Amino acid sequence: MDWMAWTWPTAIFFMVIAGLLITFTVLAIRFPETPRTGILRIETTRGDRLFITLLGSAFFNLAWLGLVGANQPYALLVCLAWAAAVFRWV
């Protein structure tokens, strides 16, 4: 497949996403949780918070590329802080 740019960073990205989905599925089976209401005033579960985190991280990375440039390691730090905030307060 010459039309796709499969590089190691791309493969690692998809492996991390797959690993997160598997981990959260196992957590949901082994440790069921009741939804909680956070700062958004909607009931969320672990999976909902993971989705919000991934979606927000995608937007942060796109904004970072547009405003700052390709220095993405600092965008990763912003995304990690975002993830911590979402899982704590949402």
Side-chain angles (χ1 to χ4, degrees), residues 24-80:
F24 274 71
T25 300
V26 170
L27 284 173
I29 293 168
R30 289 189 46 95
F31 306 106
E33 70 170 334
T34 56
R36 70 175 193 199
T37 304
I39 197 169
L40 295 178
R41 298 290 176 221
I42 58 172
E43 288 187 348
T44 60
T45 62
R46 278 186 225 110
D48 298 330
R49 291 187 292 275
L50 176 65
F51 178 74
I52 292 168
T53 298
L54 292 174
L55 189 62
S57 295
F59 284 116
F60 285 141
N61 277 285
L62 287 173
W64 191 276
L65 278 172
L67 299 172
V68 177
N71 202 2
Q72 288 300 106
Y74 296 110
L76 176 62
L77 295 175
V78 172
C79 292
L80 291 174

